[in-house]
Amino acid sequence: MARFYFSGRRSHEVTAWRRRLMWWTEAAVLKSLIGLLRVLPLKAAFSLGAVLGEVFGHLSPRVDKVRRNLRIVFPHAGSEKLDRITRASFANVGIAMAELANLDRLWRHRDERIEFKVMPGANRPRRDRPSVFVTAHYGPWQLTPLIGRYYDVPLPVIYAPEQNPYVDRALNRLRGAFANRLVSRDGGMRMFMRSLSRGESIGLTVDTRLDNGEAVSFFGHPAMTNTAPARLALRFDCDLVPVLAERLPGGRFRVNIHPPITASQAGMSRDETVLDMSRQINELFESKIARHPDQWLCLKRRWPKTVDQQHA
């Protein structure tokens, strides 16, 4: 069961009326912050988001999980460096919240704010060429689903619903800027299979732990990884395409469409190919996170507990 945002308590540990009260309070605080972030100039909104993210980091019961994840990424880092990156990671959470709050404003001014780049070897998204797009909780990742709207491609986007229903509705209203269907993670795979069978593209975020996934190396350790994107791409004979976004100076952004992921060698079985393609995705994420670890959002344990204990 999930914990409340500003408390270490789990939602099932309180009575029903107190749970609703705490949900309402959390939602009221979040909506007030969203309203403030939406009326400020963008530069000020992003700066305030960073400050609020650091404050949240001090209050959040998840700070230890973030630090343990970073300790695995940087096994030789000292406590001072880990503390500094952890603080910056929570600042990134606040900036990402400010970006989501202003997603519609960024879209309206996309010509000045957002560059959509098809990288060498990549393909421009097209309606007649369905793809499985994958991204990570890295940098301004919430801008990546805008490729569907920009290229006029139907692109159902999967999301993890918040346990707080009031917060969930508030965030989904902001995600309306995607102008595409939002698909809850619960039951989302059936929807994705239907979409691909109709010749539509789909988008997933796949850098977090999936308990029923498969063990794929991530920063040198086996990590339970969502291999469904590779399986779906092979099953429906479509491209598996990473999409990652980056922040540029002056409150600008670039959304990079990478070349399709393909099998690294011929003659592999389907299961071997799935693991190989998933490994390549993880390696791409590794390369980005290693350069800018403060821009990786991972508020939950990423590796098995045995790996955590090795780096304790």
Side-chain angles (χ1 to χ4, degrees):
M1 297 290 288
R3 298 179 186 270
F4 293 106
Y5 297 117
F6 304 114
S7 166
R9 302 187 69 178
R10 298 183 184 272
S11 59
H12 72 282
E13 296 174 345
V14 300
T15 59
W17 71 266
R18 184 168 293 181
R19 180 164 57 246
R20 286 194 296 271
L21 177 61
M22 294 180 75
W23 279 347
W24 184 90
T25 302
E26 289 177 340
V29 171
L30 179 67
K31 289 178 181 179
S32 298
L33 293 176
I34 289 174
L36 177 59
L37 293 170
R38 287 174 63 84
V39 300
L40 290 172
L42 285 173
K43 182 177 180 180
F46 298 153
S47 297
L48 177 60
V51 172
L52 293 174
E54 286 203 48
V55 172
F56 172 70
H58 286 296
L59 300 174
S60 174
R62 301 179 182 182
V63 64
D64 289 337
K65 290 185 174 65
V66 172
R67 199 176 191 280
R68 285 198 294 268
N69 286 331
L70 291 171
R71 188 187 300 125
I72 294 171
V73 174
F74 297 105
H76 303 298
S79 295
E80 184 178 342
K81 179 177 180 179
L82 289 176
D83 288 342
R84 184 174 66 254
I85 300 175
T86 300
R87 289 194 300 271
S89 296
F90 277 100
N92 178 63
V93 172
I95 296 171
M97 186 69 241
E99 291 163 350
L100 178 60
N102 287 284
L103 204 56
D104 55 349
R105 184 162 34 155
L106 291 172
W107 174 254
R108 287 197 304 271
H109 300 282
R110 59 191 177 277
D111 290 343
E112 300 85 31
R113 293 286 181 180
I114 309 174
E115 174 190 354
F116 293 87
K117 181 178 180 180
V118 179
M119 302 184 72
N123 301 306
R124 178 187 175 96
R126 293 172 9 204
R127 279 180 172 264
D128 62 346
R129 189 188 183 101
S131 298
V132 177
F133 294 104
V134 293
T135 192
H137 294 91
Y138 174 83
W141 83 94
Q142 294 174 110
L143 274 69
T144 58
L146 289 175
I147 62 171
R149 191 172 185 180
Y150 184 78
Y151 292 103
D152 192 26
V153 172
L155 183 63
V157 177
I158 198 167
Y159 77 98
E162 300 291 328
Q163 186 179 23
N164 183 327
Y166 310 117
V167 169
D168 193 56
R169 285 196 290 270
L171 296 181
N172 281 342
R173 280 195 291 271
L174 299 174
R175 294 179 181 123
F178 298 150
N180 268 301
R181 280 176 295 162
L182 295 174
V183 181
S184 171
R185 178 183 57 193
D186 305 324
M189 198 51 59
R190 289 190 297 273
M191 173 67 74
F192 279 166
M193 292 180 69
R194 287 196 294 269
S195 295
L196 289 169
S197 66
R198 291 194 297 263
E200 297 177 351
S201 296
I202 61 172
L204 304 88
T205 307
V206 294
D207 60 310
T208 54
R209 187 185 80 249
L210 184 67
D211 289 333
N212 61 350
E214 298 180 78
V216 180
S217 178
F218 192 46
F219 282 98
H221 297 281
M224 299 307 289
T225 299
N226 187 350
T227 58
R231 292 191 180 279
L232 290 171
L234 292 173
R235 176 173 178 176
F236 290 93
D237 191 26
C238 55
D239 288 340
L240 176 60
V241 181
V243 181
L244 293 168
E246 58 183 314
R247 298 184 180 106
L248 303 175
R252 298 179 61 254
F253 305 88
R254 180 182 294 128
V255 179
N256 296 304
I257 300 171
H258 289 253
I261 299 291
T262 58
S264 60
Q265 63 185 54
M268 293 188 292
S269 68
R270 177 167 290 244
D271 286 344
E272 290 172 335
T273 302
V274 165
L275 292 175
D276 174 70
M277 294 169 71
S278 300
R279 174 189 56 77
Q280 292 181 60
I281 294 172
N282 277 1
E283 287 178 349
L284 175 62
F285 294 166
E286 284 181 27
S287 68
K288 301 296 182 181
I289 294 167
R291 284 200 294 270
H292 298 287
D294 57 303
Q295 295 195 32
W296 183 40
L297 173 65
C298 194
L299 299 179
K300 298 180 180 180
R301 178 172 54 82
R302 181 63 184 93
W303 286 268
K305 292 181 180 178
T306 53
V307 176
D308 281 348
Q309 292 166 357
Q310 292 172 17
H311 290 80

